[in-house]
Amino acid sequence: MSETETVVNITVNGQPVEAAPGEWVIAAAERAGVYIPHFCYHPRMNSVGMCRMCIVDIDTGRGPALQPSCMVEVTEGMVVDTTSDQTRKAQDGVLEFLLLNHPLDCPVCDKGGECPLQDQTMAYGPGESRFIEEKRHFEKPIPVNDLVYLDRERCILCDRCTRFADEVAGDPLITFQDRGDQSQVNTFPDLPFSSYFSGNTVQICPVGALTAVPYRFKARPWDLTEVESTYPNPMGDRVVVQASRDQVLRYQGVDSDAVNWGWLTDKDRFSFEATASELRLRSPLVRGTPLGQPDPGGSELVETSWHHALAMAADAILAAVENKGPQSVAILGGARLTNEDQYAWARLAKGVIGTDHVDAQLDDGLPADAVLGLPRATINRACAPGGTVILMAADPKEEQGTLYLRLRHAVVNDGVQLIELTPRATGLSQLAAHRLHHRPGEAAAVAAALVGGDIDAGPDGEIGGVSAEALAEAAAALADRADQPITVILGRPSVAEAAGPTVEAAAELMKLAKLLTAGGRPGIAFLPALHRGNVLGALDMGMAPGLLPGRVTLADGGAALAEAWGSVPASPGADARGILKAAAGGDIDVLILLGADPLGDFPHREVAESALSRAGTVIASDLFLNPSAAQADIVFPAAGFGERRGTHTNMEGRITRERQVVTSPGTARADWAIAAELARLLDADFGFGSPEEVWDEIVRVAPSHRSLSLAAIDAETDGEVAADSSIEFTPPESAIEVPHVDAYSLRLVSSRRMYDRGTLVQHTPSLAGLANTAALAVNPYDFDRVGVDPGTEVQVISHVGEKSMPVVADPGVPRGTAVFGYNHPDLDVRDLIDADAVVTDVRIQTR
């Protein structure tokens, strides 16, 4: 507690305790090391005093009285006794009543062995039951959704699941029903608990009333081996990975105050099924014979030894460098890897091969200078009470679920002002103070008016599709809170739109940032909300053209790193689009894919298909044989999450540990080991024997990581944040011209959904069928304008292709805009996207 805070002095069990004003007695006691038993209380939700288990003797000066410690705030001089005879008798009575109808099915209950009701009955409850009457019975189990089962007779009505659904997730689809002894928790008829966060209710349920379908009857807690780790998503959610018999069986959220608060999305929580999938790659594959000899007949991929596969890859790289030079070798991907893996591949590419054609993004992110050069915010700064958040990214509920939960809490409970500057409504729209839903490609004009106050609307009274009135109100609200932190959630709002307009809008916001900083105000900071898991770590490790490890450019840090590596490329290389176009043109002899699937994920599918067919040798390191890996000439089986050790960098630059709990299937290897072995075959011995040794070298050579030893990272509960970048953000030299949309066209917006065609989802049986039905969403106003009816099958036409799909009405889609999910399992929107244009316009006509 800081010295400036007021201290409330209380006594707990005879010991003096310093508490914070407004703190609940139960929380103050726990900080002092005194545990008060409870069921309904949860530190991340509002207290309701439902279970009464936390009743203790509290004396506020008028004599001791039994009171629920989760509903009483500390006061000066308060005396708390958690061990009095009255307290013990009350707790004994509460447990006796809770057990009246609770079934004694602990041997078959998934919660058995880690159940608070079991533990507290043993510690505080009666030794035997006085009730001999029949307990109540319900049909069991009943599915509240596809992932969670409910056993109603176990429920003790603690209100945890219902409060989470309402207060935390904003999906109040599970609630109390009926009255008296028939009271129960359930969903509404024909309305399942369709939330992206339903698995959290299983974790916080204290009695096993809610169980996870993928884990049900799989193991007992005492059979599980567990480690605390970091889930490889953009938030870097802290998790416990639990395994039995060398197989991962469960992920549980860890309450990290700086990151995820213990919450996980269902997509992340249940993705352990993909790790244990029978379709995992287990041995190296080559196109030829098992001994690595080429087969002119173009045979299938066959298993071979690591020795032959690595030798073939090294020979192909050597031949490419000798024939066409280092720039004929390129690497795509790497965002799914640990920092150590990324560093090893970056050193192999830039320090051994000599190529700078390296990109961890697949043309769906933002330029490295925008990500690294803009002032970086933390998640806690974005959620600081009284601040302002400008959302200029894709829907965080769909792409960064736990960030959505943090932002939602900040807006609802901490007075954070949310301004949406997006091309469509998001999961936070209902909470936004101002919704500036602009036309795709015109974010910069709206941002300029928002921060500059110069609102010169056109003849239609709008700027970029946003009314002048709405802009004026938002600009005034932003100015009113200029003394508080302003955080921009910056990302790619639509894959059907180039990155340029978003970068231009960020440049407009930076103008205000400089003014605020000059005036001594907190200013503006940016929180990158990029799609891929460890993409921030990839940029830190140099997995981008023109970059080197430590957030330095080739021009600024090349000489220093050349001393450690021996050499670095002389000039910046191409990004993902440039690499694939070069491969399509026959200029790339070796294309290395690190967990990347251009055929399924690159916005310009034709370019990806041409690139993979015309590249001399395609080498893939992956967990599964995805469409791109299936066309590769050499495939390395890679270790996945839970099977490797290393570090992860989240969107705020926070570095935490990934830990291993199971062995990789077959002979799969960590990517750093694959890169190091290839380097050895290319006569460059890295000397790495473990990921810890890789990190030691990162600390030595990367300027932004020099103080971040593994001991320092482990010493901090929530990890360490890397130093600020030395890279400067370069605003666009000239305004980007956005073509005028004609009266008969709609501007396309395409962003990702939580459940899509992605490799992880498709290899997780519990998630694979959860994607929504494919449909084009249009504002109800536009149906009359384009002459179609909602629900009909239409032909959607752009100047690069056409698709047939149903069209539905969505008020959250602005007028003049059409929305379709990217990477949807049913229909591929890439057939419509013009990847070389700033925006894509489509027309709709009846079939």
Side-chain angles (χ1 to χ4, degrees):
M1 189 178 301
S2 67
E3 296 180 358
T4 58
E5 287 184 300
T6 304
V7 173
V8 178
N9 296 290
I10 67 172
T11 301
V12 179
N13 294 346
Q15 300 297 319
V17 173
E18 291 185 349
E23 191 172 18
W24 300 124
V25 170
I26 190 172
E30 187 167 359
R31 280 197 304 102
V34 176
Y35 175 74
I36 298 177
H38 59 272
F39 295 112
C40 68
Y41 171 74
H42 192 284
R44 296 300 185 187
M45 296 185 288
N46 293 326
S47 292
V48 290
M50 293 282 288
C51 71
R52 320 306 282 182
M53 186 64 202
C54 68
I55 286 178
V56 294
D57 259 327
I58 299 178
D59 186 354
T60 58
R62 295 179 294 180
L66 289 174
Q67 300 182 63
S69 57
C70 72
M71 297 293 289
V72 178
E73 294 183 0
V74 294
T75 58
E76 186 67 28
M78 175 183 284
V79 178
V80 179
D81 189 349
T82 70
T83 61
S84 69
D85 292 339
Q86 278 186 302
T87 298
R88 291 186 179 279
K89 183 173 177 60
Q91 292 169 344
D92 184 290
V94 169
L95 282 166
E96 188 171 23
F97 274 111
L98 290 178
L99 292 171
L100 190 155
N101 271 310
H102 191 84
L104 301 181
D105 60 350
C106 302
V108 297
C109 177
D110 274 348
K111 203 74 173 181
E114 57 183 8
C115 176
L117 182 59
Q118 277 185 329
D119 297 339
Q120 292 180 36
T121 298
M122 292 293 293
Y124 305 97
E128 61 184 47
S129 174
R130 292 183 292 171
F131 291 92
I132 60 173
E133 291 78 14
E134 181 76 9
K135 297 176 183 287
R136 68 179 180 181
H137 299 282
F138 289 107
E139 176 188 354
K140 61 175 291 184
I142 60 172
V144 295
N145 62 22
D146 292 329
L147 299 170
V148 177
Y149 280 169
L150 170 63
D151 291 86
R152 289 172 290 175
E153 70 273 25
R154 293 178 185 163
C155 179
I156 61 171
L157 305 180
C158 70
D159 201 24
R160 277 193 174 191
C161 59
T162 57
R163 274 181 293 150
F164 173 85
D166 185 18
E167 297 174 11
V168 180
D171 299 321
L173 300 172
I174 184 169
T175 187
F176 288 121
Q177 298 179 7
D178 298 331
R179 295 292 183 269
D181 65 346
Q182 293 300 307
S183 295
Q184 59 178 292
V185 166
N186 210 332
T187 57
F188 297 105
D190 301 321
L191 188 60
F193 187 23
S194 53
S195 171
Y196 290 156
F197 312 100
S198 64
N200 293 286
T201 63
V202 176
Q203 181 171 336
I204 64 176
C205 178
V207 293
L210 293 166
T211 54
V213 176
Y215 177 73
R216 193 173 170 90
F217 303 136
K218 290 292 179 63
R220 311 305 290 167
W222 51 84
D223 293 328
L224 297 175
T225 302
E226 65 179 36
V227 297
E228 187 172 327
S229 188
T230 304
Y231 191 84
N233 61 12
M235 280 284 287
D237 292 333
R238 299 294 293 158
V239 299
V240 168
V241 184
Q242 298 177 329
S244 179
R245 298 177 297 278
D246 205 31
Q247 179 178 333
V248 175
L249 294 180
R250 187 166 64 172
Y251 298 152
Q252 297 278 65
V254 172
D255 194 340
S256 169
D257 189 68
V259 189
N260 59 313
W261 285 12
W263 312 131
L264 293 175
T265 67
D266 289 351
K267 177 180 178 180
D268 296 340
R269 181 181 296 275
F270 299 115
S271 63
F272 70 86
E273 290 183 323
T275 305
S277 171
E278 294 181 355
L279 298 178
R280 283 285 303 275
L281 292 170
R282 286 169 164 75
S283 302
L285 306 175
V286 295
R287 197 170 300 280
T289 66
L291 295 179
Q293 299 168 346
D295 183 356
S299 64
E300 297 281 333
L301 286 168
V302 295
E303 292 187 3
T304 188
S305 68
W306 274 98
H307 172 77
H308 286 292
L310 288 167
M312 286 180 64
D315 290 343
I317 293 171
L318 281 173
V321 173
E322 291 175 0
N323 294 332
K324 293 186 179 179
Q327 299 305 312
S328 64
V329 180
I331 295 180
L332 279 180
R336 70 163 177 81
L337 310 181
T338 66
N339 294 326
E340 290 79 358
D341 296 330
Q342 293 162 346
Y343 176 83
W345 279 108
R347 181 175 174 184
L348 173 66
K350 302 188 178 189
V352 178
I353 300 172
T355 180
D356 196 53
H357 291 334
V358 178
D359 196 353
Q361 303 185 76
L362 281 185
D363 200 36
D364 57 0
L366 295 173
D369 70 308
V371 178
L372 300 179
L374 292 167
R376 183 76 61 85
T378 63
I379 298 167
N380 278 343
R381 183 191 193 274
C383 299
T388 297
V389 170
I390 301 175
L391 179 61
M392 203 163 65
D395 188 349
K397 189 174 185 178
E398 299 287 348
E399 295 206 20
Q400 295 92 20
T402 45
L403 176 62
Y404 161 80
L405 296 181
R406 290 292 309 272
L407 291 174
R408 188 181 187 282
H409 181 276
V411 174
V412 173
N413 298 284
D414 297 327
V416 169
Q417 174 181 245
L418 175 64
I419 299 175
E420 273 192 335
L421 209 165
T422 58
R424 62 162 301 182
T426 72
L428 291 167
S429 290
Q430 292 184 341
L431 302 176
H434 302 278
R435 294 178 286 275
L436 310 178
H437 297 155
H438 56 82
R439 280 191 296 268
E442 300 185 43
V446 179
L450 177 66
V451 302
D454 183 14
I455 303 175
D456 184 15
D460 56 358
E462 295 180 342
I463 296 178
V466 180
S467 70
E469 181 182 1
L471 262 172
E473 292 176 357
L478 185 64
D480 287 343
R481 294 207 189 183
D483 290 331
Q484 299 296 324
I486 300 172
T487 304
V488 181
I489 311 294
L490 184 68
R492 189 79 169 267
S494 170
V495 185
E497 174 185 320
T502 301
V503 175
E504 190 177 6
E508 294 293 341
L509 295 175
M510 275 301 294
K511 296 177 183 177
L512 177 61
K514 293 177 181 178
L515 291 175
L516 294 174
T517 304
R521 298 177 180 181
I524 296 178
F526 294 78
L527 190 62
L530 302 178
H531 166 68
R532 302 183 187 278
N534 193 17
V535 66
L536 270 295
L539 296 180
D540 283 353
M541 296 300 106
M543 296 287 288
L547 284 184
L548 294 172
R551 302 180 185 174
V552 295
T553 64
L554 278 173
D556 295 334
L561 197 60
E563 296 182 7
W565 282 4
S567 65
V568 294
S571 59
D575 60 8
R577 179 179 297 195
I579 289 170
L580 289 176
K581 286 189 173 181
D587 296 328
I588 300 295
D589 279 3
V590 176
L591 178 62
I592 302 174
L593 305 177
L594 304 179
D597 180 18
L599 289 180
D601 213 11
F602 185 69
H604 202 322
R605 185 171 61 177
E606 292 181 359
V607 170
E609 291 173 348
S610 179
L612 264 69
S613 64
R614 299 202 60 189
T617 300
V618 178
I619 303 171
S621 173
D622 217 310
L623 307 180
F624 299 96
L625 203 63
N626 59 43
S628 297
Q631 292 197 17
D633 302 286
I634 305 168
V635 181
F636 297 130
F641 177 62
E643 304 163 358
R644 62 194 184 192
R645 304 194 310 275
T647 56
H648 176 92
T649 304
N650 78 344
M651 59 175 57
E652 57 187 350
R654 186 176 303 278
I655 300 171
T656 46
R657 295 285 290 271
E658 270 193 44
R659 292 186 170 89
Q660 181 179 357
V661 67
V662 296
T663 55
S664 303
T667 60
R669 297 184 182 181
D671 272 271
W672 69 265
I674 300 173
E677 185 63 18
L678 280 174
R680 187 187 65 81
L681 294 175
L682 297 173
D683 297 326
D685 188 358
F686 289 167
F688 299 150
S690 68
E692 290 76 18
E693 293 181 4
V694 182
W695 185 259
D696 289 341
E697 180 168 304
I698 294 172
V699 173
R700 290 197 301 271
V701 305
S704 59
H705 292 58
R706 292 224 169 114
S707 63
L708 302 179
S709 66
L710 292 177
I713 293 172
D714 290 339
E716 294 294 327
T717 303
D718 296 319
E720 286 276 6
V721 178
D724 292 336
S725 174
S726 62
I727 295 175
E728 294 186 4
F729 170 61
T730 305
E733 296 181 357
S734 58
I736 297 172
E737 292 188 12
V738 180
H740 177 72
V741 60
D742 64 58
Y744 300 100
S745 296
L746 299 172
R747 193 141 283 171
L748 183 63
V749 171
S750 184
S751 56
R752 299 176 189 273
R753 303 296 301 269
M754 181 71 72
Y755 304 123
D756 57 11
R757 177 180 59 186
T759 300
L760 193 68
V761 173
Q762 294 307 306
H763 286 88
T764 302
S766 298
L767 305 177
L770 297 183
N772 293 327
T773 303
L776 187 75
V778 175
N779 188 283
Y781 167 84
D782 287 319
F783 280 98
D784 289 337
R785 187 167 67 87
V786 299
V788 297
D789 296 322
T792 58
E793 193 85 5
V794 297
Q795 203 72 10
V796 184
I797 305 169
S798 73
H799 77 274
V800 298
E802 60 182 71
K803 297 289 285 187
S804 178
M805 64 185 71
V807 60
V808 298
D810 186 348
V813 176
R815 295 181 180 183
T817 301
V819 174
F820 190 87
Y822 187 76
N823 209 20
H824 199 282
D826 294 338
L827 291 171
D828 197 339
V829 73
R830 294 181 299 170
D831 291 336
L832 301 174
I833 295 176
D834 184 354
D836 294 321
V838 177
V839 291
T840 297
D841 291 337
V842 297
R843 294 195 178 193
I844 299 175
Q845 65 183 34
T846 55
R847 297 182 61 187

